[in-house]
Amino acid sequence: MNIFLDVLLVALVVYFVFAIRRTLKMSKASVALIEKYENDKLNPKLIDEIFAAISDDVLLSRILKRHNATRRDIQRLHAKLMKWGDFRKYNRYVPITSFFNVHTLEYLLEHKNDDAKSLTEHMMNHFHF
């Protein structure tokens, strides 16, 4: 019984370390894009970089595949979020940060046909704006 608990503890610690590492990596990528495009928010390269970053992540790429999301979907959602959420609070910027979180990306892709205001309000509530 003790061996089982030891193995379980080690497995939980390993899972925790990898989850924290992934979260920090996504946060770092998000903040880097926010800073890089702070004065050039409508640059089309931003959409390419967002799509590439979320396609490279294990969890976010699953969400993209599940919803058959394309670069065009990300571009349309980004435009909707820019309409009502074009402001920054610390290291959060709704039109970028929303794509780097599992729950918010899932919500955006499920409700991609909703109006811009309701999508932005939901994202702002999620990030405590």
Side-chain angles (χ1 to χ4, degrees), residues 49-61:
E49 290 189 42
I50 290 173
F51 191 73
I54 61 178
S55 296
D56 290 341
D57 183 64
V58 174
L59 298 178
L60 298 177
S61 64

Side-chain angles (χ1 to χ4, degrees), residues 4-17:
F4 173 73
L5 292 175
D6 290 342
V7 170
L8 182 62
L9 179 63
V10 169
L12 287 173
V13 168
V14 168
Y15 175 77
F16 177 78
V17 167

Side-chain angles (χ1 to χ4, degrees), residues 47-48 51 68-79 109 112:
I47 304 301
D48 293 334
F51 191 73
N68 296 319
T70 63
R71 182 195 175 283
R72 177 79 176 128
D73 293 328
I74 301 301
Q75 183 179 17
R76 287 180 56 229
L77 288 167
H78 182 265
L109 292 174
K112 63 184 171 186

Side-chain angles (χ1 to χ4, degrees), residues 22-33:
R22 184 202 150 275
T23 302
L24 290 173
K25 178 184 170 190
M26 287 292 97
S27 177
K28 184 178 177 182
S30 173
V31 171
L33 287 176

Side-chain angles (χ1 to χ4, degrees), residues 92-104:
R92 290 175 284 181
Y93 179 64
V94 172
I96 294 176
T97 310
S98 300
F99 296 105
F100 288 87
N101 183 293
V102 172
H103 301 292
T104 56

